[in-house]
């Protein structure tokens, strides 16, 4: 029997033997165990620690998942995208802290035998730039939209290396292929961009795109009135996208784009 599964059963029996208040207090623990069970049975996982999970989701694209403790939503899994080709890589959104970012960089260097040529945050929040310092400590160039750079500076973010800024769109070469960063409008934040890898038709939507079944989430910096209109522009440009990665939760296809449009239309 799988060790994680055995632990889950044991804790489940213990929870049944105590009062309901204890059960309620430990629901998050049970949820975390369930998440570990699901991860342990996921054949796409190529790296896993308590800080970071990396999944290979196509020939060139990896999903990295790290964790952020929040007051409102508890422990939240945060997604980012890594694209690798011919020994070169681009990372969209850092893991949430320097330690998990260090693990990601080492995985790319040592396991994939590749160098990260660019780090691109999709907006200015902590779940996108929590490991920025580690990327700069490894002399990895940071590219950010002018809006994102301005918001980072406004929020007190410091940089040990200059940031290469762009207006609305950015084209990057890795090996023989291109990766794009594109701005379509306001939504989760006023600066949110997406990443796109045309070879495999993959969009990294960041927090602009929601997983199926998700609520609206944190709206403190959002433009809810424009959100669906912004995502409709993405759908118009990429109507047949094969793979869509949200900022949090499970990846999918164009159904995530449709779900997000409907969520902020109603």
């Amino acid at each position: 029997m799988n060790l994680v599964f055995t632990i889950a059963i044991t804790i489940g029996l213990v929870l049944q033997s105590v009062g309901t208040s204890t059960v309620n207090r430990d629901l998050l623990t049970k949820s975390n165990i369930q998440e570990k069970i699901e991860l342990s049975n996921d054949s796409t996982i190529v790296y896993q620690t308590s800080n970071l999970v990396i999944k290979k989701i196509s020939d060139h694209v990896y999903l990295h998942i790290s964790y952020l403790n929040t007051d409102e939503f508890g422990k939240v899994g945060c997604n980012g995208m890594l694209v690798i080709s011919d020994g070169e890589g681009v990372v969209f959104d850092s893991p949430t802290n320097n330690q998990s970012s260090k693990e990601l960089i080492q995985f790319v260097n040592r396991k994939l035998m590749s160098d990260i040529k660019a780090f691109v945050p999709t907006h200015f929040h902590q779940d996108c730039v929590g490991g920025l310092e580690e990327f700069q400590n490894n002399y990895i160039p940071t590219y950010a939209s002018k809006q994102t750079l301005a918001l980072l500076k406004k929020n007190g973010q410091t940089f040990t290396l200059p940031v290469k800024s762009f207006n609305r769109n950015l084209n990057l070469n890795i090996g023989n292929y291109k990766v794009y960063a594109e701005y379509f409008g306001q939504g989760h934040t006023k600066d949110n961009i997406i990443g796109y890898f045309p070879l495999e038709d993959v969009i990294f939507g960041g927090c602009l795109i929601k997983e199926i079944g998700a609520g609206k989430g944190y709206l403190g910096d959002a433009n809810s009135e424009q959100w669906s209109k912004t995502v409709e522009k993405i759908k118009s440009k990429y109507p047949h996208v094969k793979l869509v990665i949200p900022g949090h939760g499970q990846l999918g296809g164009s159904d995530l784009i449709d779900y997000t449009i409907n969520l902020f239309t109603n």
Side-chain angles (χ1 to χ4, degrees):
M1 182 178 290
N2 184 288
L3 178 60
V4 178
F5 185 63
T6 303
I7 294 172
I9 292 176
T10 302
I11 293 181
L13 292 173
V14 171
L15 287 168
Q16 288 180 352
S17 68
V18 298
T20 56
S21 62
T22 304
V23 173
N24 290 336
R25 189 168 62 248
D26 290 344
L27 281 177
L28 182 58
T29 301
K30 289 179 70 179
S31 175
N32 290 343
I33 293 168
Q34 180 62 38
E35 180 182 12
K36 290 179 181 179
I37 294 171
E38 292 172 356
L39 288 175
S40 67
N41 293 325
D42 189 339
S43 62
T44 66
I45 293 176
V46 293
Y47 180 88
Q48 183 176 2
T49 67
S50 60
N51 301 309
L52 182 70
V53 175
I54 304 174
K55 300 182 180 184
K56 186 174 184 180
I57 59 176
S58 68
D59 289 342
H60 295 275
V61 178
Y62 295 78
L63 166 67
H64 68 78
I65 307 167
S66 55
Y67 302 94
L68 187 67
N69 291 314
T70 68
D71 293 333
E72 187 173 356
F73 301 103
K75 184 178 180 181
V76 177
C78 305
N79 296 338
M81 181 172 76
L82 165 68
V83 183
I84 296 288
S85 177
D86 299 320
E88 296 181 339
V90 174
V91 173
F92 285 90
D93 288 355
S94 77
T96 55
N97 56 53
N98 287 325
Q99 176 57 40
S100 51
S101 295
K102 180 179 180 180
E103 291 182 27
L104 177 63
I105 293 166
Q106 289 179 345
F107 173 81
V108 174
N109 294 160
R110 299 174 183 179
K111 299 297 184 181
L112 302 182
M113 304 299 290
S114 299
D115 295 319
I116 300 173
K117 296 299 183 181
F119 159 57
V120 185
T122 59
H123 63 283
F124 73 99
H125 285 168
Q126 180 73 15
D127 51 356
C128 303
V129 298
L132 186 151
E133 179 183 358
E134 186 65 26
F135 280 82
Q136 294 212 318
N137 287 344
N138 283 269
Y139 301 99
I140 295 169
T142 299
Y143 294 79
S145 75
K146 291 180 180 179
Q147 287 193 92
T148 297
L149 182 58
L151 288 166
L152 286 171
K153 289 180 177 179
K154 182 179 179 181
N155 282 273
Q157 179 70 52
T158 58
F159 308 94
T160 56
L161 295 174
V163 175
K164 301 180 180 181
S165 64
F166 59 94
N167 188 16
R168 297 177 65 91
N169 301 311
L170 173 70
N171 301 338
L172 294 168
N173 294 314
I174 52 167
N176 295 317
Y177 303 111
K178 287 188 177 294
V179 181
Y180 299 97
E182 299 176 281
Y183 179 75
F184 287 87
Q186 299 187 26
H188 176 67
T189 58
K190 68 179 183 180
D191 65 317
N192 46 210
I193 62 172
I194 69 165
Y196 180 61
F197 184 51
L199 177 68
E200 295 179 338
D201 207 7
V202 181
I203 284 177
F204 176 63
C207 294
L208 182 62
I209 301 298
K210 297 292 185 178
E211 72 167 329
I212 300 297
K216 293 183 178 181
Y218 175 70
L219 300 176
D221 298 303
N223 186 332
S224 297
E225 292 183 0
Q226 291 296 315
W227 199 320
S228 61
K229 297 175 183 177
T230 296
V231 179
E232 284 172 354
K233 295 176 186 177
I234 300 173
K235 180 177 180 178
S236 178
K237 185 169 183 178
Y238 302 114
H240 306 297
V241 62
K242 293 180 180 178
L243 195 58
V244 178
I245 304 170
H248 306 277
Q250 297 296 315
L251 52 81
S254 60
D255 53 338
L256 271 66
I257 292 176
D258 292 332
Y259 178 82
T260 304
I261 292 170
N262 291 332
L263 181 64
F264 287 95
T265 298
N266 301 321

